[in-house]
Amino acid sequence: MDKSTIVCRCEEINIDEIETAIKNGAETFDDIKRLTRCGMGPCQSKTCFYPVNEIIAEYTGMPLNEVSLPRLRMPLKMVRMSTLAQDSEGSNVVSVFGESVEDGES
Amino acid sequence: MWYRYLVNQWKMVNHKMDNLFDVIVVGSGVIGSSVAYHLSESKKHEVLLIDKGFPLSGTSGSTQAWVWVHSKTPSWYGELSMLSAELYPFLEKKIGDVEYKRTGGIAPFFNEAERESALRLAEKQAEVGIEIEVLNREEVLEKEPSLSPEIAGATFSKIDGNVNPFRLVELYVKAARKNGVHCSFYNPVNDIEKSGDIFQVKTQKGSFRSKKIVLAGGPWSKELGKMLGMDMPVKQVRGQILVTEPLQPFLKYTIGGIRQADNGEVLIGYSKEEVGYDRRSTLDVMQQTARMAIDFIPALSKANIVRCFSGIRVMPEDGFPILDEVPGMEGAYVIAMHSGITLSPLIGTLMTELLTEGETSINLSRFSLERFNGIQSR
Amino acid sequence: METDILVIGGGPAGMSAAITADRAGARVILVDESFSLGGQLRQQTQHFAPLPGSEEKVRGTALGNDLIKKLEASKVKILKKHIMIGSYRNENIGVTDGEKTFAIQSQKNIIAPGAAEKAKIFPGWTIPGVMTAGAAQILINRERVLPGKNAVMLGSNDYSLEVARQLKACGVTIKAIVEDKEQMISSDMELLHDMKNVPVYLNSTIESATGKEELNKVVVKTPAGLYEMEADLICIANGFDPIIEPFEIMGCNLAYHKELGGWLPEYNVYFQTSNPSCYIAGNAAGITTIGPVLLTGEIAAIGALEELGFMEQEEAEAQRKELWKELAEIEKRENEKTFRARSELIEGFHQKIGMAFPEEFNMVNGGAHNG
Amino acid sequence: MQITEHPVLDKKFNEEVIFYFNNQSLKAKKGQTVAAALMANSIRKLGASRKLNKARGVFCANGRCTSCFVTINGLEHVLSCTTLVEEGMRVSSNESDPDVRGESNGN
């Protein structure tokens, strides 16, 4: 198949990009995801999971049952920030000034 | 197709038949891969980089990736962060575009009491050359109009920014490989032994030998430390981060807890939980985080959240970096720190100095293991 | 919000589980993400038989309406347009209604999210006019609109042919059936007969799907060369995957069983997953036909009812025995391989956790292996 | 195109609604999803992809693939396949990333 064929509809990642990630050593959906952004869009790999695993299986010779699953993230469906925030248990405005500013880092 | 891949894999690990390396780096997160890369620059050493998974499968792939300086205290720690941040533009020239952006950092505060500590911070950091402005509400809103008018003010520094962690680690590894570093991924280390001057690193895919080893396991340092018979003075801290779908660019600065990435996604995270290696997200924290995001930036309320990811971060017991030779075990080094993204260029440089020259351009006594009580090696 | 049993999914399995649980006196909440109950039955105009306790053919939509009526006559609290988006630290399931997000505190969960269609990629598969066969079926039967006039069906399993037949009945011309295997997957004589005038391309793939802003041209690559045809609709029918996201969030172990659709949660003979608070029902527990789907809902509900004390052990065992017998009968008859894979999954899980098999299962299972 | 005479099912929708797509007034049936209401009017392109700017429309019709994003009454990136059409609803095609600051997005 034409290597420019889209695999991940959301992020518009094609076969060639996925194969390149595999060539660079990635063997799992999640590792390919972090290299290419495949599966990181709004559908969160619900659509491309199967075709990507097929490409991994074909390229590496691994059987499908050995290709590991992507880690599925919450929220299971897209949700508005306001909808998520509503009804949360008593949160206060907290300043990030001071110690907590380091939270975003690793 | 697949045979090409196998040959590729074989090349990566096995073409060194005697399996003897100058240095084995365990952990290919941002710290391990930075060490491997900086060590490889001279092309004088045989280096092996090992990871139980693939680069970015751990902490370095689950971070907001700020390069953050201004509120790091005490000021020697702030200075260290500043020196590292200053290395980023040069690093980018060497390894390629890691999307480093010195956006300037804003840390908002909500009351007058906090303004006092903001002023004290600015004074303290000025001593080491970190420039901080304490802004009032109007000044903050002029810089970042999407911030909530409820804030009282903010500290601001031009030195802060962020980077794309995926590009950063990928390019560290790529550059290291180009310089001849061997890599073995999806390969957990089971045990480390030392006989004479040589370390034996026993992995799932076989044994490797080396003259020196560097343990850069991040939160998993604890397990690696055990292999050397030491109790690593580090904790695991979970941070959960919400990600919106890509939005039109509207945030210019790196804001305490929030930043907008190049592709438009907004990343938001404030949480800190001690739950071991549990990487799940929970709706409790997600809802609190969403609430806070709206408190800071009301316009985010209509943004769609597409995912929440969790990262397990390493936190040395006193909060400050560890970079030291293991007491009583010559040739074995450990590096563990929070803020690895900010510090990686500097730490990679210092570790390379230590491994190759035996001394460093910055005094490392503050990073020693000795400062913790009861660290013992076998 | 609090309840004894929380059912996730208002399709046939979830409805069947909720009705069973309600009948035994448990408080039940049923959550479904759509604006109406029925799940995929809402657009299934095909006839189904056998059903539990009946050999009579029933239209899917009629079966759905019947279950909805039973449910609406029960005390089950129905939350339509509510989506499970995750779980809290204490394992309570979190749902959203689009306005707010809240926890439902339940003793047991029966999770029945169903299955999703597997995508199949080809150049141009993102263009408007290319959709899953399931989408086309929703559009014609539930939404009552035509997705196109000239269709190419990609895939030749029973479901492909069923949807092709339904599209045809609505006036859509089926220009071709494209199958990459060397023969048709479906062996259903009736369906094959209905498709007898449709060109079938075996050992073939879609080379390209093009159009300015909507699909209007399809090129099929066959062993005899490229065929170009005018078409404004491609339906992809590549089989189904169990939907596993809710189980993964609840920390349930997963296993791979090709015959059941791929990855799915492990479960025991009570349809309880490795997370004791979560039961599973329907196509999520292995892709199968409507009879077994309904029965898995009942068996899961009985397990939960028994654990919560709404049903005596003896009574539960007796009922389960009958239900398993029927499930085995129907599933072996319709798809022996599916039943065998299901038994393997259950046996494997029992062995792993060191759980003995109750007699009711040995009986039906033995039959499968002797056969 | 609407199916007026379904080959096997009874008539389902009775009430007509008027809604707008990209400011054009259209008719649909009450009870239909927005995606179907547009398809009833032979509109199948619902928007464009964000990177390559390619046309997009209904793919799964089940609320999973997010291929059918539209803007509804000013709120951007709403799934048209799971949202019911309403009288007077203003729908427009999805042409870019949402702008959360704008009046257009309900702020």
Side-chain angles (χ1 to χ4, degrees):
Chain A
M1 201 182 313
D2 183 350
K3 298 284 186 214
S4 67
T5 304
I6 296 294
V7 183
C8 165
R9 297 169 69 94
C10 302
E11 293 286 335
E12 299 180 280
I13 306 299
N14 63 33
I15 297 177
D16 186 51
E17 289 166 282
I18 289 166
E19 288 188 350
T20 302
I22 301 173
K23 259 181 242 167
N24 285 327
E27 290 177 11
T28 71
F29 189 106
D30 281 342
D31 293 329
I32 291 170
K33 175 171 80 182
R34 284 182 280 258
L35 291 182
T36 63
R37 291 197 58 82
C38 169
M40 272 198 189
C43 100
Q44 286 290 295
S45 81
K46 290 187 186 81
T47 315
C48 65
F49 145 67
Y50 187 76
V52 169
N53 270 14
E54 271 192 326
I55 293 170
I56 299 173
E58 191 192 334
Y59 203 93
T60 64
M62 269 193 278
L64 267 178
N65 60 337
E66 281 174 26
V67 183
S68 60
L69 283 164
R71 179 196 296 268
L72 295 158
R73 315 268 188 191
M74 288 189 216
L76 293 180
K77 289 271 165 81
M78 227 171 42
V79 59
R80 302 273 164 193
M81 189 85 77
S82 55
T83 304
L84 193 58
Q86 199 65 42
D87 215 48
S88 79
E89 288 163 24
S91 126
N92 301 310
V93 176
V94 179
S95 170
V96 290
F97 181 73
E99 197 205 21
S100 61
V101 290
E102 291 182 25
D103 286 349
E105 302 169 89
S106 60
Chain B
M1 283 277 226
W2 62 271
Y3 58 87
R4 262 205 338 248
Y5 165 83
L6 282 184
V7 168
N8 217 5
Q9 289 285 297
W10 177 81
K11 266 197 211 151
M12 275 181 222
V13 194
N14 291 336
H15 87 263
K16 240 191 95 57
M17 297 312 271
D18 63 355
N19 269 346
L20 178 65
F21 296 88
D22 294 315
V23 182
I24 292 179
V25 180
V26 182
S28 71
V30 71
I31 293 293
S33 61
S34 171
V35 170
Y37 161 67
H38 283 97
L39 202 50
S40 74
E41 280 186 299
S42 68
K43 299 184 185 167
K44 280 187 194 147
H45 316 281
E46 293 277 6
V47 180
L48 173 67
L49 179 61
I50 305 183
D51 198 281
K52 65 180 169 52
F54 194 71
L56 295 165
S57 57
T59 310
S60 303
S62 46
T63 166
Q64 287 210 34
W66 304 347
V67 177
W68 188 266
V69 175
H70 93 254
S71 56
K72 295 270 175 68
T73 54
S75 45
W76 67 261
Y77 186 41
E79 186 183 19
L80 193 75
S81 303
M82 177 176 67
L83 292 173
S84 195
E86 296 292 12
L87 290 176
Y88 261 101
F90 182 44
L91 178 72
E92 235 175 359
K93 289 270 182 271
K94 294 191 288 181
I95 67 171
D97 184 7
V98 296
E99 294 173 23
Y100 171 65
K101 290 184 305 298
R102 197 170 284 183
T103 57
I106 295 178
F109 53 79
F110 285 84
N111 59 52
E112 291 311 308
E114 285 179 321
R115 183 186 304 278
E116 287 306 310
S117 33
L119 289 165
R120 275 199 306 277
L121 176 78
E123 207 174 292
K124 272 282 173 204
Q125 302 294 61
E127 290 169 12
V128 291
I130 301 170
E131 291 173 24
I132 296 179
E133 292 174 57
V134 179
L135 307 176
N136 63 28
R137 175 186 296 124
E138 287 66 36
E139 289 165 334
V140 185
L141 293 178
E142 196 176 316
K143 276 194 190 302
E144 194 65 281
S146 294
L147 274 165
S148 165
E150 298 288 310
I151 61 166
T155 53
F156 169 76
S157 178
K158 285 181 191 154
I159 182 79
D160 300 317
N162 58 63
V163 67
N164 180 335
F166 303 120
R167 297 291 295 153
L168 177 63
V169 176
E170 187 193 355
L171 290 181
Y172 270 141
V173 174
K174 215 176 223 170
R177 269 183 175 161
K178 208 173 147 199
N179 291 341
V181 170
H182 305 261
C183 294
S184 180
F185 299 139
Y186 302 105
N187 188 15
V189 170
N190 296 326
D191 203 7
I192 301 168
E193 277 173 13
K194 192 177 182 191
S195 51
D197 289 341
I198 300 293
F199 289 94
Q200 286 264 2
V201 179
K202 296 181 174 169
T203 73
Q204 201 169 304
K205 294 182 180 173
S207 268
F208 302 99
R209 298 182 305 143
S210 68
K211 295 169 193 155
K212 289 176 179 172
I213 55 167
V214 178
L215 304 186
W220 292 274
S221 296
K222 197 121 198 151
E223 314 307 314
L224 292 174
K226 279 181 198 157
M227 295 175 194
L228 298 181
M230 65 178 288
D231 183 19
M232 284 282 282
V234 297
K235 295 180 287 190
Q236 295 93 29
V237 178
R238 179 169 76 187
Q240 300 189 30
I241 293 169
L242 290 183
V243 187
T244 71
E245 62 175 332
L247 305 170
Q248 297 284 346
F250 75 113
L251 297 176
K252 279 205 296 270
Y253 296 90
T254 304
I255 302 166
I258 300 176
R259 79 169 175 102
Q260 186 167 27
D262 271 10
N263 74 340
E265 287 179 338
V266 178
L267 288 79
I268 307 140
Y270 302 94
S271 70
K272 236 179 209 181
E273 304 161 276
E274 286 188 33
V275 288
Y277 296 108
D278 183 353
R279 265 182 88 170
R280 278 178 301 178
S281 306
T282 63
L283 271 175
D284 315 67
V285 171
M286 288 167 64
Q287 292 201 260
Q288 281 163 18
T289 306
R291 183 74 260 153
M292 289 177 71
I294 296 172
D295 286 342
F296 276 89
I297 298 171
L300 278 174
S301 69
K302 291 290 179 259
N304 275 317
I305 303 294
V306 293
R307 71 178 174 282
C308 175
F309 63 80
S310 289
I312 307 298
R313 326 201 176 293
V314 60
M315 181 65 87
E317 274 167 14
D318 62 0
F320 300 116
I322 297 169
L323 194 171
D324 200 3
E325 193 165 12
V326 177
M329 193 174 284
E330 206 180 318
Y333 299 83
V334 291
I335 325 177
M337 70 201 63
H338 193 260
S339 304
I341 297 279
T342 301
L343 295 172
S344 72
L346 182 64
I347 294 297
T349 308
L350 292 175
M351 192 68 222
T352 298
E353 289 175 357
L354 188 61
L355 285 164
T356 56
E357 319 284 334
E359 57 182 7
T360 52
S361 48
I362 291 177
N363 185 329
L364 295 180
S365 59
R366 280 192 171 113
F367 310 137
S368 75
L369 281 163
E370 280 165 18
R371 70 184 196 265
F372 304 96
N373 289 326
I375 304 298
Q376 283 178 346
S377 176
R378 66 190 166 194
Chain C
M1 206 174 279
E2 200 219 322
T3 187
D4 297 318
I5 294 175
L6 169 61
V7 180
I8 303 289
M15 289 196 289
S16 161
I19 292 164
T20 307
D22 172 75
R23 208 185 285 140
R27 290 175 304 161
V28 182
I29 293 177
L30 173 71
V31 166
D32 190 87
E33 63 183 24
S34 187
F35 41 81
S36 59
L37 294 173
Q40 307 311 315
L41 284 177
R42 289 177 294 175
Q43 62 271 4
Q44 291 177 335
T45 54
Q46 61 266 43
H47 287 92
F48 294 119
L51 292 173
S54 158
E55 290 291 326
E56 205 178 316
K57 284 193 167 189
V58 181
R59 200 182 284 287
T61 46
L63 175 64
N65 289 335
D66 186 44
L67 287 166
I68 292 169
K69 260 184 216 140
K70 277 190 193 145
L71 201 57
E72 281 173 348
S74 75
K75 296 183 299 300
V76 174
K77 186 178 167 109
I78 300 167
L79 300 178
K80 281 183 257 188
K81 275 237 105 161
H82 280 64
I83 301 177
M84 171 180 174
I85 59 164
S87 68
Y88 290 85
R89 198 179 296 137
N90 61 9
E91 285 208 343
N92 279 343
I93 283 177
V95 301
T96 172
D97 60 0
E99 298 287 323
K100 59 185 184 302
T101 302
F102 58 95
I104 299 182
Q105 193 188 330
S106 60
Q107 307 281 323
K108 297 285 170 193
N109 306 307
I110 300 173
I111 305 178
E117 293 181 272
K118 285 188 230 186
K120 193 172 184 81
I121 64 169
F122 49 83
W125 74 296
T126 58
I127 198 169
V130 179
M131 62 184 74
T132 66
Q137 198 186 23
I138 287 172
L139 290 166
I140 55 170
N141 294 339
R142 197 187 81 196
E143 300 293 328
R144 310 291 170 91
V145 294
L146 278 185
K149 294 191 182 83
N150 295 293
V152 171
M153 179 60 71
L154 180 58
S156 68
N157 56 37
D158 288 353
Y159 187 65
S160 330
L161 302 193
E162 183 60 59
V163 173
R165 170 161 82 173
Q166 292 174 16
L167 283 166
K168 210 169 143 197
C170 289
V172 177
T173 305
I174 310 296
K175 303 276 270 199
I177 294 170
V178 178
E179 172 58 58
D180 59 9
K181 302 283 182 321
E182 58 192 17
Q183 58 184 18
M184 298 273 269
I185 305 294
S186 175
S187 54
D188 186 312
M189 293 314 289
E190 196 186 311
L191 286 171
L192 290 169
H193 179 263
D194 283 0
M195 288 294 119
K196 67 176 189 297
N197 295 323
V198 176
V200 176
Y201 298 97
L202 299 172
N203 293 314
S204 300
T205 53
I206 293 181
E207 175 77 4
S208 70
T210 50
K212 194 161 167 278
E213 302 223 292
E214 293 183 6
L215 177 69
N216 61 31
K217 196 175 90 185
V218 179
V219 178
V220 177
K221 188 182 173 191
T222 77
L226 297 177
Y227 284 88
E228 188 180 312
M229 53 193 85
E230 273 183 30
D232 54 2
L233 176 64
I234 294 176
C235 295
I236 302 174
N238 191 32
F240 294 85
D241 263 338
I243 291 178
I244 54 178
E245 303 103 73
F247 300 99
E248 198 177 342
I249 293 301
M250 298 306 287
C252 306
N253 291 339
L254 303 173
Y256 186 92
H257 288 262
K258 186 169 177 282
E259 295 295 337
L260 296 175
W263 288 97
L264 76 170
E266 294 180 309
Y267 53 89
N268 62 23
V269 68
Y270 311 104
F271 284 82
Q272 185 178 32
T273 67
S274 65
N275 177 341
S277 71
C278 294
Y279 286 77
I280 182 171
N283 276 322
I287 308 302
T288 185
T289 51
I290 188 70
V293 161
L294 294 167
L295 290 161
T296 60
E298 285 188 70
I299 298 172
I302 287 167
L305 289 163
E306 184 187 354
E307 266 203 292
L308 295 179
F310 288 100
M311 199 179 267
E312 295 295 327
Q313 189 187 350
E314 210 171 304
E315 173 65 16
E317 270 169 17
Q319 286 200 24
R320 204 157 34 228
K321 188 171 167 181
E322 286 308 307
L323 293 166
W324 260 114
K325 198 173 142 199
E326 201 165 12
L327 193 160
E329 255 172 43
I330 299 179
E331 201 161 69
K332 280 189 216 170
R333 195 163 103 194
E334 299 204 309
N335 196 343
E336 170 98 37
K337 278 184 187 163
T338 306
F339 185 75
R340 214 174 277 221
R342 192 192 291 285
S343 304
E344 252 169 52
L345 179 147
I346 291 173
E347 276 174 25
F349 185 53
H350 275 254
Q351 260 161 29
K352 200 159 125 185
I353 60 173
M355 188 187 216
F357 286 108
E359 179 162 0
E360 66 257 31
F361 184 70
N362 275 336
M363 185 188 68
V364 294
N365 189 34
H369 284 270
N370 297 337
Chain D
M1 212 196 315
Q2 298 276 11
I3 296 174
T4 42
E5 293 277 322
H6 194 279
V8 298
L9 298 172
D10 295 337
K11 196 160 183 247
K12 182 175 175 185
F13 304 120
N14 299 310
E15 217 174 306
E16 197 157 81
V17 292
I18 291 178
F19 73 108
Y20 303 86
F21 182 68
N22 292 342
N23 293 322
Q24 180 192 356
S25 158
L26 300 171
K27 284 180 191 163
K29 302 288 184 187
K30 193 176 177 188
Q32 283 178 324
T33 61
V34 173
L38 290 166
M39 204 165 279
N41 290 280
S42 300
I43 293 169
R44 301 199 301 171
K45 186 199 167 191
L46 303 177
S49 66
R50 62 185 300 269
K51 193 162 103 185
L52 305 174
N53 199 30
K54 299 280 189 198
R56 287 296 163 89
V58 169
F59 180 71
C60 81
N62 251 325
R64 285 177 71 81
C65 76
T66 74
S67 182
C68 68
F69 274 154
V70 292
T71 298
I72 295 184
N73 295 335
L75 189 59
E76 293 174 85
H77 281 196
V78 178
L79 293 177
S80 60
C81 77
T82 59
T83 308
L84 295 179
V85 67
E86 281 168 22
E87 178 69 33
M89 197 177 244
R90 302 202 80 93
V91 182
S92 52
S93 50
N94 168 45
E95 305 294 346
S96 62
D97 291 346
D99 183 352
V100 289
R101 289 164 307 178
E103 293 284 315
S104 65
N105 214 21
N107 283 305

